[in-house]
Amino acid sequence: MRIYFDLTIEEKISIDELVLKSKSLLDSKYKPEGFNIGVNCGEAAGQTIYHCHIHLIPRYSNDIDNPLGGVRGVIPQKRLYK
């Protein structure tokens, strides 16, 4: 099993380039107002497919009732903070 932390620097650079290209495509086609970027590393973090992959999630105003906390929403009691 290779997760993000097992990647070489070259692989991480390639992934970052791909994320930026993907963002550009999403920007031009769907015009999101923001993004969440996530990586699940290990079963305790919710990883169910044991290879490295990046979640690039386009976001829009009002796509959920209250986006405060962003990806922190994976731990509901920690999502809302001030």
Side-chain angles (χ1 to χ4, degrees):
M1 161 179 75
R2 289 188 70 213
I3 60 174
Y4 179 83
F5 299 111
D6 298 329
L7 300 178
T8 66
I9 293 299
E10 292 81 12
E11 290 170 325
K12 289 177 183 174
I13 289 169
S14 293
I15 285 174
D16 194 48
E17 290 172 352
L18 181 59
V19 167
L20 292 173
K21 286 180 183 178
S22 299
K23 179 193 178 295
S24 179
L25 175 69
L26 291 167
D27 282 339
S28 66
K29 188 165 182 173
Y30 299 106
K31 303 186 181 3
E33 299 169 58
F35 288 89
N36 290 114
I37 300 172
V39 182
N40 300 338
C41 296
E43 186 176 347
Q47 185 175 19
T48 57
I49 300 171
Y50 287 94
H51 64 270
C52 181
H53 61 279
I54 310 296
H55 300 263
L56 177 62
I57 306 165
R59 299 299 304 273
Y60 301 89
S61 294
N62 301 313
D63 62 359
I64 63 171
D65 290 338
N66 184 355
L68 185 66
V71 296
R72 291 170 59 103
V74 299
I75 305 172
Q77 67 270 28
K78 292 190 176 190
R79 181 172 163 249
L80 301 178
Y81 61 93
K82 295 189 185 226

